[in-house]
Amino acid sequence: MLPFQYMELRNLPDVLGGFAVCWLIFGIPSLLVILVASFLIKRFQIHRFGILKQVRFSMIACLLPLAGLIFGAGTGYLAAWTERYDFEQRVDQSWVDVLAFPGAPGDGMANIYGGDWQDDEAWDYRGDITILNALFWTSIAGAGVGVIRFVFRRGNGVEKQAGMSPVNC
């Protein structure tokens, strides 16, 4: 099975629309979590302790999208696998389905041009689901890098007067 072999060019606007809807459902809350976490790290100066003292923004800018890519690919494949597992075991849901919830964006976007999953059909689209979900979570992580940069670039007056930068950007 080659990824995207069933996708046609006329399906692209619908897939991009699904991407936008998934951003509303998953992306904005994820960015809010990143915003709050980075604000708390800056507020309580956690970035000045231990191993976090050595972390530079360029490292975050490289590793966060990579983590999003790996997370998205893993959860996308898990979403396709749970569909297959539930079908083979003849159960409606299993405990693994909870772990596959972040794979819903890729599953939903592939479902737009693949039709409603019948029986074991999601397994045929596992490459599409995995790639679309990986791209989706990478885009969220990339936007998260921008949020982190925004929070740490906003220095308070005390740090600017002392000549120290909030983070080694």
Side-chain angles (χ1 to χ4, degrees), residues 15-144:
V15 172
L16 293 176
F19 190 85
V21 168
C22 289
W23 250 94
L24 290 174
I25 296 170
F26 289 96
I28 292 174
S30 297
L31 287 181
L32 288 175
V33 167
I34 292 171
L35 177 70
V36 169
S38 59
F39 175 75
L40 291 175
I41 287 171
K42 180 182 175 188
R43 171 72 173 97
F44 295 112
Q45 296 186 359
I46 296 170
H47 63 279
R48 298 194 191 273
F49 299 110
I51 196 167
L52 293 177
K53 192 186 303 184
Q54 303 299 322
V55 173
R56 305 242 184 256
F57 180 76
S58 59
M59 184 185 297
I60 292 172
C62 292
L63 292 181
L64 195 60
L66 181 63
L69 180 74
I70 293 169
F71 175 77
T75 56
Y77 189 82
L78 184 64
W81 180 82
T82 56
E83 294 273 341
R84 182 180 180 95
Y85 177 80
D86 292 346
F87 177 72
E88 287 178 351
Q89 299 299 320
R90 303 202 190 295
V91 294
D92 287 335
Q93 292 180 347
S94 64
W95 67 272
V96 183
D97 290 344
V98 175
L99 300 175
F101 182 69
D107 186 43
M109 287 183 274
N111 204 347
I112 288 173
Y113 62 87
D116 190 22
W117 302 141
Q118 302 295 320
D119 298 333
D120 200 15
E121 192 176 13
W123 189 246
D124 294 337
Y125 289 88
R126 65 186 175 273
D128 301 14
I129 294 170
T130 302
I131 292 171
L132 288 170
N133 203 55
L135 291 174
F136 175 76
W137 287 106
T138 302
S139 72
I140 289 177

Side-chain angles (χ1 to χ4, degrees), residues 47-48 55-57 60 152-153 159 165-169:
H47 63 279
R48 298 194 191 273
V55 173
R56 305 242 184 256
F57 180 76
I60 292 172
F152 280 98
R153 280 293 190 174
E159 290 178 354
S165 66
V167 165
N168 301 324
C169 291

